[in-house]
Amino acid sequence: MEKIVILTGAGISAESGLGTFRDEGGLWAQHRIEDVATPEGFARNPALVHRFYNARRVQAAKAQPNAAHKALARLQKDWPGEVVIVTQNVDGLHEAGGAENVIHMHGVLAGALCATCGHRWPSPPEMEVGEPCPACRSPTARPDVVWFGEMPYQMDEIYDHLAGAALFAAIGTSGQVYPAAAFVHEAQAAGARTVELNLAPSAGVSSFDETRLGPATGTVPRWVEELLGERGG
Ligand code: BJW
């Protein structure tokens, strides 16, 4: 049965009240990427980076999944084939909306990672500078998120899924950050049909077979209805 691979970005959580990165007034208008989203920034000023992620962790914990997250969970449940959700988001809203086996290629706010030994554990609501790793005791705990210059997670698994995709959808992502921005090409090379669902056309709009513009809470449930309707689901 046909496999669907879905890539999501910050836009799918915008209507849950979480800010995107590159839209007007977004996170990168308020914080310098080099300061808060690179390993070098963390080495220079870990307190600043922890403050940034502590605030976002609190916000994400209060946020509720919206109709778009829930529609994708429904698609996973009702589609007769496999539906793989790969998210760049760290907010956990896909799972809160009922999705399963989500691939978090840029990590999770709910996780802590030891920069020394690579051990992972659930993050406390507030992380502090010098917090010891529960495994090796080094004072090098950091948020378990992927910063610029670092390798996103589960890439082999993602490329395997893309190679077997019949349909690829990118939802609420600006297409400015690699390697995610190139997934559309991987999927196309595998013969997949490609669709973009976004508020505004992404940087890669011309690469998609189809583009549907509008807020995710409208476009995504409609798209899911259509897919399931075509299948008689
Ligand atoms: C709505 C909506 C609504 C709004 N409804 N839609 C030169 C060329 C190519 C690559 C590079 C290069 N120089 C450096 C690189 C590599 C670099 C990179 O891509 N840089 C670019 C800036 C050029 N990438 C990396 O370093 C990555 N690692 C890497 O490449 O490793 C080597 C490698 C090689 C080969 C294979 C594999 C690996 C790591 C990137 C890590 C990104 N990390 C962040 C932070 C994560 C933690 C955190 O959350 O803080 O990830 S940065 C930030 O951007 C975050 C996001 O996941 C990511 C993408 O953002 P996203 O989701 O697209 O959000 P926005 O704000 O950009 O867009 C929002 C969209 O929503 C818009 O389109 C709106 O229209 C839409 N929208 N409201 C629907 N209601």
Side-chain angles (χ1 to χ4, degrees), residues 67-169:
H69 298 107
K70 290 178 192 167
L72 294 188
R74 176 172 172 230
L75 183 63
Q76 257 191 342
K77 193 163 110 346
D78 292 347
W79 183 251
E82 191 180 3
V83 176
V84 179
I85 299 174
V86 180
T87 189
Q88 298 169 87
N89 300 343
V90 294
D91 55 35
L93 288 180
H94 282 299
E95 284 89 346
E100 288 177 357
N101 303 319
V102 177
I103 298 180
H104 289 272
M105 65 176 292
H106 289 165
V108 287
L109 280 170
L113 166 71
C114 176
T116 304
C117 74
H119 179 67
R120 291 192 160 84
W121 67 101
S123 146
E126 297 236 321
M127 291 188 73
E128 285 171 22
V129 177
E131 213 164 288
C133 164
C136 74
R137 308 309 301 169
S138 301
T140 47
R142 55 165 278 184
D144 188 8
V145 298
V146 177
W147 289 321
F148 284 104
E150 297 183 321
M151 183 63 85
Y153 298 151
Q154 294 175 261
M155 289 308 301
D156 289 346
E157 204 181 320
I158 295 171
Y159 286 130
D160 281 351
H161 285 305
L162 290 169
L167 174 62
F168 172 77

Side-chain angles (χ1 to χ4, degrees), residues 8-12 14-15 20-23 28 37 52-53 56 88-90 106 145-152 155 159 171-179 197-202 214-217:
T8 65
I12 197 168
E15 290 163 86
T20 64
F21 294 93
R22 296 171 185 81
D23 291 316
W28 294 160
F52 176 68
Y53 283 100
R56 287 183 55 207
Q88 298 169 87
N89 300 343
V90 294
H106 289 165
V145 298
V146 177
W147 289 321
F148 284 104
E150 297 183 321
M151 183 63 85
M155 289 308 301
Y159 286 130
I171 303 177
T173 177
S174 62
Q176 295 195 43
V177 175
Y178 290 84
L197 294 92
N198 208 335
L199 194 59
S202 73
T217 55

